[in-house]
Amino acid sequence: MKTEELIARGDKSVMGTYRRFPVVLVKGEGPRVWDVDGKEYLDFVAGIAVCALGHCHPAVTAAIKAQAERLVHVSNLYYIEPQIVLAEMLTERSFADQVFFCNSGAEANEGAIKLARKYAKEHQGGYELITMHNSFHGRTLATITATGQEKFQKGFEPLPDGFRYVPFDDLGALEAAVSERTCAVMVEPIQAEGGIKVPAADYLKGVREICDRKGVLLILDEVQVGMGRTG
């Protein structure tokens, strides 16, 4: 079956939530992928920067196969050893005391927003989050509102209350925006969707200092840049 026919079938039956390239991929190996017509591509997208292991690595494939032969899916009602082992590996190699497993970057940020509001309700009472112009935090209703770009918000109004925006890489604007209503600041260490914008060397340290001094939480959205990957 050729590209045009498969795309026509997909457009008929799959909801058009994304503008897709006219490519139907069928296999991958390492950094390369092939389409249904046999054309080879070098995959620079890597699952929007979050799949860094390439395609079909033998060790990854073997691990998936071995787990699928034992147990495929259980809910959070139960403990499973692989989840515990992975959580231990992550906490031992990072700053975190515990981890929260989820299905997407949007879900991770949604969880962070909820946790920040819950913490603030119990400790200082604020509920607003400050995020940055040209940021991107996901496509759920809360995370498109956190996203400081109107093009992602258009058509979904009215948006949830409790978000305000300041320019990225501007410590003065951030400090002026923090008030008694603020519960957290959410920022990407490097803006990805906003144009690969790298802040000044002292910016993130300055954000941390403002949050500490003002008594608000700091949420670092590193879904696309990769936790710790940028140094």
Side-chain angles (χ1 to χ4, degrees):
M1 198 166 292
K2 296 298 184 181
T3 296
E4 293 77 12
E5 184 180 353
L6 286 167
I7 289 175
R9 289 172 59 189
D11 289 344
K12 183 178 179 180
S13 58
V14 180
M15 185 179 289
T17 55
Y18 275 75
R19 294 177 187 164
R20 302 192 192 201
F21 294 99
V23 177
V24 181
L25 299 177
V26 294
K27 71 172 184 175
E29 182 178 347
R32 302 180 187 278
V33 292
W34 286 262
D35 70 13
V36 70
D37 298 321
K39 186 175 181 180
E40 179 182 322
Y41 302 83
L42 193 59
D43 182 8
F44 282 104
V45 180
I48 315 183
V50 300
C51 298
L53 299 178
H55 298 274
C56 303
H57 189 286
V60 176
T61 301
I64 293 171
K65 180 177 181 292
Q67 182 60 43
E69 290 175 341
R70 289 196 296 267
L71 188 65
V72 175
H73 176 266
V74 296
S75 75
N76 283 326
L77 293 173
Y78 312 102
Y79 292 92
I80 51 173
E81 184 180 4
Q83 183 187 64
I84 296 167
V85 171
L86 178 57
E88 289 173 339
M89 291 175 62
L90 291 171
T91 55
E92 288 167 1
R93 290 162 173 78
S94 73
F95 65 90
D97 299 316
Q98 294 180 316
V99 297
F100 166 61
F101 291 115
C102 50
N103 302 296
S104 68
E107 189 178 348
N109 288 331
E110 186 91 19
I113 292 166
K114 289 173 66 179
L115 283 170
R117 286 191 170 187
K118 183 174 177 61
Y119 179 89
K121 227 173 212 346
E122 295 173 354
H123 292 84
Q124 43 97 325
Y127 71 96
E128 284 188 350
L129 274 84
I130 297 173
T131 65
M132 311 301 147
H133 291 302
N134 296 315
S135 59
F136 181 80
H137 297 294
R139 295 179 183 272
T140 65
L141 196 56
T143 55
I144 63 165
T145 309
T147 292
Q149 299 190 62
E150 289 185 4
K151 68 180 181 180
F152 292 106
Q153 301 169 348
K154 189 174 181 180
F156 300 108
E157 304 88 348
L159 300 172
D161 185 28
F163 296 88
R164 60 186 308 190
Y165 317 101
V166 298
F168 183 63
D169 201 15
D170 188 333
L171 292 174
L174 175 60
E175 179 147 25
V178 176
S179 71
E180 70 279 356
R181 297 186 302 274
T182 307
C183 72
V185 173
M186 177 182 274
V187 61
E188 299 160 280
I190 296 172
Q191 284 196 335
E193 183 71 38
I196 317 301
K197 295 179 181 176
V198 182
D202 62 347
Y203 175 65
L204 292 175
K205 291 182 179 179
V207 175
R208 172 79 275 174
E209 190 275 328
I210 291 171
C211 290
D212 288 345
R213 182 157 39 82
K214 299 282 190 176
V216 301
L217 300 176
L218 173 58
I219 302 169
L220 293 173
D221 176 0
E222 298 191 62
V223 172
Q224 289 195 19
V225 300
M227 189 180 73
R229 196 160 66 195
T230 59

